[in-house]
Amino acid sequence: MLNRVHVEGIVTKTWGFQGTRFVRIACYPDPGRTLKRSSGGRDEPEYITLRFEPPLAMATGGLNGGDRVRASGYLMSREYTISLARFAESAEGDGEAVEKLKALAEEAGDKVRKPHVLNEVVVEHFVIL
């Protein structure tokens, strides 16, 4: 099977975990290839997470928000769970409902969890443009 990804985008966020570097990019579509438009009629980006394993992770140390990168690699998915407490920290919406959710999360702690799947591009080659 073919599993090859080529992508270009603008760095929006970088972080690391146990020697692996993650770079979130905003990938704007080629003309005529988008389904997402803002209320102003502009194309909206797709946000993609690039995963840099050691030793390639060291090469990402100088990346900053706004840098434009081109990367190639393969698609990988990761399954994990999100606790209700963690979800409640970032929840948005009706203020009263969010406060009730946070109170429930304090009571339930990590007893309630939600399965989650994240797709990433494991980078094998990249260049800063």
Side-chain angles (χ1 to χ4, degrees):
M1 285 193 200
L2 180 62
N3 182 357
R4 191 84 183 135
V5 176
H6 302 280
V7 66
E8 181 178 309
I10 299 167
V11 174
T12 61
K13 181 179 178 183
T14 66
W15 68 99
F17 182 74
Q18 297 181 345
T20 300
R21 296 292 303 168
F22 298 91
V23 176
R24 191 85 165 144
I25 63 170
C27 181
Y28 288 88
D30 295 330
R33 296 184 84 185
T34 188
L35 298 176
K36 291 171 59 175
R37 296 207 184 270
S38 69
S39 58
R42 291 185 45 157
D43 290 343
E44 290 292 320
E46 299 294 339
Y47 291 93
I48 301 167
T49 301
L50 305 178
R51 179 185 186 109
F52 293 82
E53 294 289 342
L56 191 57
M58 292 185 294
T60 65
L63 285 178
N64 298 304
D67 287 345
R68 188 176 184 142
V69 297
R70 185 176 293 158
S72 63
Y74 59 94
L75 190 61
M76 179 183 89
S77 63
R78 219 172 4 118
E79 295 181 16
Y80 59 98
T81 59
I82 299 172
S83 69
L84 180 59
R86 184 168 175 210
F87 173 79
E89 288 174 13
S90 61
E92 297 177 353
D94 177 73
E96 184 179 332
V98 170
E99 288 307 313
K100 287 180 182 178
L101 177 64
K102 287 181 179 180
L104 178 61
E106 278 185 38
E107 184 180 317
D110 282 343
K111 295 176 188 172
V112 178
R113 304 184 73 73
K114 177 193 177 303
H116 188 73
V117 176
L118 175 67
N119 293 316
E120 302 169 323
V121 175
V122 179
V123 177
E124 296 174 310
H125 306 281
F126 90 105
V127 63
I128 301 171
L129 302 174

